[in-house]
Amino acid sequence: QVQLVESGGGLVQAGGSLRLSCAASGSIFSIPVMAWYRQAPGKQRELVATITSGGNTNYANSVKGRFTISADNAKNTMSLQMNSLELEDTAVYYCNGDVRLSRYSTARPYWGQGTQVTVSS
């Protein structure tokens, strides 16, 4: 059983910063790709940032230059440093990982339960 657990959400004023963390646990062989998604009220879930086990990162245009994704492969953890937060960043943020359970298995997606980020004016 694999679990992804997010932490670090909360209420912050516009222009402020928050750091989200995600910890994966269970019978994990490797996590080739991890990602942060977010879903605002009334909107579809959208990709925020991805990071591969090799350290390659990618960001949505809306967060480039403001958010930084990082990961510790040995600990199966991931973080999202969010700076210069804007009202439009308000959403539930979800941790996602493509997890391999063994060297013979293909990667399957797993999701965390989400953590609320609210940016106020």
Side-chain angles (χ1 to χ4, degrees):
Q1 192 79 336
V2 173
Q3 282 191 317
L4 275 64
V5 179
E6 303 99 335
S7 60
L11 175 65
V12 64
Q13 284 193 323
S17 299
L18 275 178
R19 186 178 182 85
L20 304 182
S21 297
C22 173
S25 62
S27 181
I28 297 171
F29 174 73
S30 69
I31 310 179
V33 182
M34 297 191 78
W36 288 99
Y37 286 76
R38 67 186 182 186
Q39 187 166 19
K43 294 189 177 181
Q44 289 189 328
R45 190 172 297 190
E46 64 173 355
L47 179 64
V48 175
T50 63
I51 186 167
T52 69
S53 56
N56 294 317
T57 60
N58 202 5
Y59 297 91
N61 288 334
S62 59
V63 307
K64 277 182 183 176
R66 300 188 297 122
F67 290 10
T68 303
I69 189 171
S70 60
D72 185 329
N73 295 332
K75 296 181 179 179
N76 291 326
T77 58
M78 174 178 65
S79 295
L80 185 69
Q81 178 65 42
M82 304 185 295
N83 298 329
S84 302
L85 283 161
E86 303 171 354
L87 298 179
E88 294 74 21
D89 295 319
T90 295
V92 177
Y93 284 70
Y94 295 92
C95 170
N96 166 272
D98 284 344
V99 179
R100 293 179 65 193
L101 302 182
S102 77
R103 67 174 64 247
Y104 307 109
S105 66
T106 57
R108 292 177 51 204
Y110 288 84
W111 294 88
Q113 80 287 353
T115 186
Q116 177 70 47
V117 171
T118 302
V119 183
S120 64
S121 58

